[in-house]
Amino acid sequence: MDDSGLFGAVGALPDIRNPIYVADALRQQAHTRGPLGRVPPHFLAGPGAARWAARHHISQAADLATEEARLTHREHTVRLAAEADPVAWGHDTVGCVCVDAQGRAAAGVSSGGISLKVPGRVGEAALFGAGCWAAREAAGRGWAVRGASVTGIGEQAMQALLARSVCRQIARGSVLDGCDAAVRQFQQAIPRPQSGPSSANSAPLAGFICVQGTLEPDPAAAADALTGHVEVGWAHTTPSMAVGYCTDTMEHPRTFISRAPVEGKTVL
């Protein structure tokens, strides 16, 4: 998604090495009209998405499953058949938010989903407002930009439209306060069983990275160059989340694992 609101997504799409390329191709043609005035798709899934990718010459791969993934799948299948205790399923979502020197923002997210997911299931990564969000608006002589990318239990992020919620909350003030407000809103949006075996496994679990900046023309630089202040934030209700960030003044990005000091504790 870019900060003009153009959006593209794919879901339930196997055998594509970089499905976000397909999503971006959909985004780029989202403002055009097809033959007979047809509105172009923003979101494609399943075999139709694969055929669209092939028509647009986006490379496919025969088999993307690693041996480690095969072993994990076999282990989880055995545990499921034996009705064993729940396992730490893990998530493989990767997301990114960018702001360039011209004050444009974009966000993306890609996920293989969860282990043993139901065939055809589509998570939050592909859903408008849930997996990623980017926005820009006029502010003084320049622009206010923001974006977010989400990970966690997809069905819960969908209910909260979490990425859009994060951007709306950080727009009200600082990134720190906005992250806190977005987490609280997310937790309140998820219905919790009062009792029974599912109540312990229904805690709202998600995380996100976000960026907010105010940029104005730089009188000492080229005509289209901007200068200003950009804040980076992250938060998660999961036990841990991988985080990384980089600026144009850094030689290498900084990456680390953010960990909650206590189970169930929110990290901002």
Side-chain angles (χ1 to χ4, degrees):
M1 182 176 182
D2 65 32
D3 61 16
S4 72
L6 292 181
F7 172 84
V10 291
L13 179 61
D15 303 332
I16 298 288
R17 186 174 299 279
N18 300 111
I20 202 164
Y21 289 168
V22 189
D24 190 50
L26 284 166
R27 178 195 64 83
Q28 292 181 49
Q29 54 89 63
H31 66 287
T32 63
R33 287 295 180 108
L36 304 180
R38 293 186 302 169
V39 176
H42 291 194
F43 178 16
L44 292 174
R51 289 192 294 270
W52 193 93
R55 287 200 305 271
H56 288 78
H57 310 292
I58 297 174
S59 62
Q60 295 178 284
D63 189 359
L64 297 175
T66 64
E67 186 57 31
E68 181 183 4
R70 296 181 193 279
L71 290 172
T72 299
H73 182 265
R74 285 197 287 270
E75 176 191 350
H76 288 177
T77 301
V78 169
R79 293 179 66 87
L80 180 67
E83 299 183 357
D85 292 336
V87 299
W89 298 109
H91 301 278
D92 64 350
T93 304
V94 58
C96 184
V97 182
C98 297
V99 177
D100 69 13
Q102 284 70 50
R104 305 311 303 252
V109 60
S110 185
S111 174
I114 56 176
S115 182
L116 302 184
K117 66 180 181 181
V118 175
R121 181 248 186 201
V122 174
E124 90 289 349
L127 295 191
F128 186 78
C132 66
W133 194 259
R136 182 169 86 148
E137 60 192 33
R141 298 189 302 116
W143 301 96
V145 296
R146 59 191 64 91
S149 187
V150 167
T151 184
I153 296 180
E155 284 70 17
Q156 293 179 344
M158 293 179 211
Q159 288 178 281
L161 289 178
L162 185 53
R164 186 177 71 174
S165 173
V166 170
C167 287
R168 287 182 172 180
Q169 293 296 340
I170 64 177
R172 298 179 177 180
S174 71
V175 163
L176 182 61
D177 290 342
C179 286
D180 183 47
V183 168
R184 286 188 280 107
Q185 188 175 65
F186 167 64
Q187 292 171 322
Q188 293 166 3
I190 307 306
R192 298 283 299 275
Q194 298 301 311
S195 60
S198 62
S199 60
N201 299 319
S202 60
L205 294 175
F208 55 83
I209 56 173
C210 60
V211 169
Q212 175 167 255
T214 302
L215 303 168
E216 295 185 343
D218 185 353
D224 60 347
L226 300 175
T227 185
H229 176 68
V230 175
E231 292 181 280
V232 177
W234 62 90
H236 56 95
T237 62
T238 53
S240 64
M241 187 179 78
V243 179
Y245 62 89
C246 189
T247 73
D248 60 352
T249 62
M250 297 169 60
E251 185 175 354
H252 301 288
R254 184 190 175 203
T255 60
F256 56 94
I257 304 295
S258 175
R259 301 186 186 277
V262 179
E263 185 175 354
K265 176 75 172 178
T266 297
V267 175
L268 300 172

